[in-house]
């Protein structure tokens, strides 16, 4: 079991009704974590448009999660 | 150098740091909050960032521009927090020996920042509603 | 509006007259006298204009840009007379609702002014010689 | 016979060794005037790159000349 912190940004904060979750997970990858997290939201977000990060770096969906990681889910940027 | 700022963007300072009369050319872009967007009347807006990742990604974009184009200096700052109509949201400036490179690099940085840097816009409309803005 | 100026270009005044925060975007270009050009070391230079025709042609270019691109304001000033290294030779600014139009119009005005407005550059090189510069 | 003023700019001032000529001419067009003027210069300029103006307006080479016109010969612009 890993203790991780999950960050949601932009409209994904509304999808999961929070900006930060402290979670204990058995997921090995972000992909697996995402499936777990879907149970917490009413409406499934558009996964293809979401970028993911571990510890302040963009990573691939199949990246492995380690204990104490901070995982972020980011909707498409809309700055500028 | 890329930065995010919670205060009004100090463009005269940014210009001073980017301009280089030995270079020949300077191009800058300023983006302001408009009173309408995608058909809605905007009252104000907030930009939210993932600060650490935004600064990393923004500086990666500046480095790419320095690599791709023959330019001397490039600076970009994006505002975050609550903004009113007419406030500056983003500033990009580039100095280069030739105008081509200056225009292309300025445009490249702006486009990449808008699509890649983790910053999100939440608009409050004049009807009192608010919402996250999808990319145009 | 297009103008020629025998004095230092007052770019803060030009910016004030061109920028329009209701617009969304502003692009400007500044061209400075470089200390080298086409392989020669430049000491100073002089721009000579055919003033009446230059102002007519410059304003024709601004009008074309207003027609071709969806922009709100466009201003260009070209310096004439004796210039030193680092002096501003030309300034172009454009305000528009969208960045595409602002970039394209600024570039269009600059390129057309350089190729069509009757202004000629005479460089004095560090070897003491001087000569009229052909277009690059 | 027409009394005209001729203006030379940029390097054409060197070609004709003057920036302004007051001239009496029988030429009907700028084309014909140019041929007359070639007698005054040592080296023939690159005509295809020259633009011509009458009374502060760009015109075609075959434009007619009137009494008291100001005719200008302009090398390629090199501003910016």
């Amino acid at each position: 079991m890993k203790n991780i912190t999950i960050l949601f940004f932009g409209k994904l904060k509304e999808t999961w009704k929070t900006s930060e979750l402290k979670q204990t997970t058995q997921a090995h990858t972000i992909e697996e974590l995402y499936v777990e997290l879907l149970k917490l939201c009413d409406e499934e977000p558009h996964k293809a448009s979401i970028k993911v990060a571990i510890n302040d770096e963009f990573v691939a969906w199949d990246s492995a999660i380690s204990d104490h990681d901070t995982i972020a889910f980011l909707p498409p940027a809309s700055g500028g | 150098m890329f930065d995010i700022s919670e205060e009004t963007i100090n463009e005269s300072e940014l210009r001073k740091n980017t301009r280089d009369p030995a270079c020949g050319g300077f191009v800058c872009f300023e983006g302001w909050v408009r009173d309408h967007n995608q058909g809605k009347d905007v009252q104000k807006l907030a930009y939210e960032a993932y600060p650490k990742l935004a600064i990393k990604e923004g500086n990666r974009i500046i480095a790419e521009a320095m690599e791709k184009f023959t330019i001397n200096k490039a600076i970009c700052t994006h505002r975050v927090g609550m903004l009113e109509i007419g406030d500056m949201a983003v500033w990009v400036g580039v100095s280069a020996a030739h105008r081509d490179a200056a225009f292309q690099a300025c445009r490249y940085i702006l486009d990449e920042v808008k699509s890649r840097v983790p910053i999100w816009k939440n608009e409050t409309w004049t009807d009192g509603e608010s919402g996250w803005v999808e990319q145009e």
Side-chain angles (χ1 to χ4, degrees), chain B residues 26-27 71 94 96 98-108:
Chain B
F26 168 76
V27 171
I71 60 177
V94 175
H98 295 283
R99 64 191 193 278
D100 257 331
F103 273 101
Q104 284 174 27
C106 185
R107 187 63 204 266
Y108 177 81

Side-chain angles (χ1 to χ4, degrees), chain B residues 53-134:
Chain B
L53 190 43
I55 287 170
K56 276 185 195 170
E57 189 70 2
N59 279 312
R60 217 171 270 145
I61 291 166
I62 301 277
E64 288 166 13
M66 300 292 291
E67 182 78 19
K68 276 177 193 285
F69 309 102
T70 308
I71 60 177
N72 292 50
K73 290 183 188 171
I75 290 182
C76 177
T77 293
H78 200 298
R79 178 86 181 275
V80 293
M82 292 301 304
L83 280 77
E84 305 289 328
I85 306 301
D87 281 352
M88 200 182 295
V90 62
W91 189 94
V92 186
V94 175
S95 286
H98 295 283
R99 64 191 193 278
D100 257 331
F103 273 101
Q104 284 174 27
C106 185
R107 187 63 204 266
Y108 177 81
I109 293 166
L110 179 64
D111 289 350
E112 295 296 308
V113 165
K114 283 169 95 87
S115 69
R116 287 165 49 189
V117 172
I119 294 176
W120 301 274
K121 178 156 58 174
N122 189 291
E123 288 180 350
T124 300
W125 302 299
T126 48
D127 61 10
E129 296 284 296
S130 70
W132 295 97
V133 177
E134 303 276 313

Side-chain angles (χ1 to χ4, degrees), chain A residues 17-67:
Chain A
K17 297 182 187 69
T18 184
S19 60
E20 187 172 334
L21 275 180
K22 301 278 183 186
Q23 193 100 340
T24 302
T25 183
Q26 300 204 46
H28 297 96
T29 66
I30 300 188
E31 195 94 48
E32 289 177 24
L33 174 66
Y34 180 77
V35 174
E36 280 183 15
L37 290 172
L38 282 181
K39 291 169 202 154
L40 305 180
C41 57
D42 303 330
E43 211 176 340
E44 189 169 342
H46 181 57
K47 187 188 164 198
S49 72
I50 297 175
K51 287 188 178 177
V52 291
I54 297 182
N55 303 332
D56 309 324
E57 280 294 354
F58 286 120
V59 295
W61 278 89
D62 60 1
S63 300
I65 296 173
S66 305
D67 198 21

